[in-house]
Amino acid sequence: MKRSLGYIKAFGLLAMVCLLYGFAEKRHKDRKISEISVRFTEGENLYVTEEVVNKLLIQNNGSASGIDKETLDLNRVEALLNQHDMIESAEVFLSLDGKLNATVGQRKPIGRVVGNSSYYLDRNGEIMPLSPNYSARVPLLFGFDGKNLKKAYPVVKSIREDEFLTRHITGLSRLKGDAYLLELREHDFQVYFGDSSNVALKFNNFKAFYKKAQKDKKLDTYKKVNLQFGDQVVCTKK
């Protein structure tokens, strides 16, 4: 009899636990989103604003409190963010306290095409539209279109990844045969780069030439600097 009573008590306790768990689970599912938290990687929200991200997250629900956790499609929301022209990557997730979190990485421009139409070249070599919120300080690219821009990508990328080159080079002009001229911030001599072959070697030669000529105070005596030969710098004086 005592054993049967013990079984009954254990069964009743188990049933109560299951009931409470089911009730808590239902309450959890029925809860609305408490708030939205947006974090931009690298601490920047230059090209897309938090307001734009919030609108994509709430999916026309008006506010965070109008979003039902049970019906929220995180994959769809994440896909919407990743389709945005200014976003490189996005991750969306729910925290235990009911907060909808979004971690957003923006696209990074490394050059700006100037011509009949203007747009950026981003760090992955893709075309990126201009942002109405912020104008990036990147080298200006002249004489380019979507067809020939890819060939210049290694040159522009090398400029943006080098502190010295970023400080001194402000533009890149395309010539016939996909050869390039570099435009300098402080000096008026032409720098003929040639095509996009041997990029690292040419830039190393240019930096060595520049520092030596600067030390000798001869930078203003040159009319043209030619880097196309790879293993040497050929200079023409004024």
Side-chain angles (χ1 to χ4, degrees):
M1 183 69 178
K2 290 182 179 180
R3 181 177 296 180
S4 298
L5 186 60
Y7 285 146
I8 293 172
K9 287 181 177 180
F11 179 78
L13 181 61
L14 180 61
M16 184 177 294
V17 169
C18 292
L19 182 64
L20 290 173
Y21 178 81
F23 177 73
E25 180 70 10
K26 185 178 186 304
R27 284 195 61 189
H28 177 73
K29 289 182 177 180
D30 290 343
R31 286 178 61 186
K32 304 294 184 180
I33 299 298
S34 60
E35 63 177 297
I36 293 176
S37 173
V38 179
R39 184 179 71 86
F40 291 93
T41 61
E42 303 179 40
E44 296 182 321
N45 61 325
L46 301 177
Y47 307 106
V48 58
T49 64
E50 185 172 336
E51 180 183 4
V52 170
V53 175
N54 280 333
K55 286 182 179 179
L56 291 171
L57 288 171
I58 64 178
Q59 303 178 77
N60 299 319
N61 282 289
S63 66
S65 61
I67 304 176
D68 192 321
K69 291 172 62 177
E70 179 69 8
T71 59
L72 178 64
D73 187 342
L74 291 178
N75 290 331
R76 179 176 178 274
V77 175
E78 195 170 279
L80 285 174
L81 289 176
N82 281 312
Q83 289 170 9
H84 194 280
D85 286 337
M86 299 297 168
I87 294 177
E88 183 174 292
S89 63
E91 181 182 3
V92 180
F93 60 96
L94 278 171
S95 55
L96 293 176
D97 58 357
K99 184 185 295 184
L100 180 60
N101 299 272
T103 301
V104 178
Q106 297 181 93
R107 298 175 69 182
K108 300 293 183 183
I110 60 173
R112 176 172 176 167
V113 173
V114 178
N116 295 330
S117 59
S118 293
Y119 47 87
Y120 291 124
L121 174 69
D122 77 4
R123 62 180 171 183
N124 296 315
E126 302 296 332
I127 290 176
M128 172 183 172
L130 302 183
S131 169
N133 304 309
Y134 184 80
S135 181
R137 296 184 63 183
V138 293
L140 300 179
L141 310 177
F142 301 95
F144 291 92
D145 57 34
K147 296 179 180 179
N148 50 50
L149 188 58
K150 288 279 189 180
K151 293 182 180 179
Y153 171 65
V155 181
V156 183
K157 183 173 181 287
S158 294
I159 294 172
R160 292 299 294 172
E161 291 178 348
D162 187 284
E163 182 181 354
F164 177 90
L165 299 176
T166 298
R167 187 166 67 250
H168 292 287
I169 298 174
T170 60
L172 188 73
S173 296
R174 176 179 171 270
L175 306 177
K176 290 182 179 180
D178 289 319
Y180 310 112
L181 279 180
L182 306 180
E183 296 188 11
L184 303 183
R185 187 181 307 278
E186 299 174 353
H187 302 282
D188 60 357
F189 58 82
Q190 289 186 335
V191 181
Y192 184 80
F193 190 84
D195 61 22
S196 58
S197 63
N198 301 316
V199 173
L201 177 61
K202 290 177 182 177
F203 275 135
N204 285 337
N205 288 342
F206 172 71
K207 288 192 288 184
F209 152 78
Y210 191 100
K211 292 175 181 178
K212 179 66 167 58
Q214 186 179 48
K215 181 179 179 181
D216 296 339
K217 298 181 179 180
K218 293 183 178 181
L219 282 172
D220 292 328
T221 67
Y222 296 110
K223 178 181 180 181
K224 184 176 181 179
V225 175
N226 195 331
L227 306 175
Q228 70 171 322
F229 300 109
D231 58 346
Q232 60 180 325
V233 177
V234 178
C235 303
T236 303
K237 290 193 173 183
K238 293 180 179 177

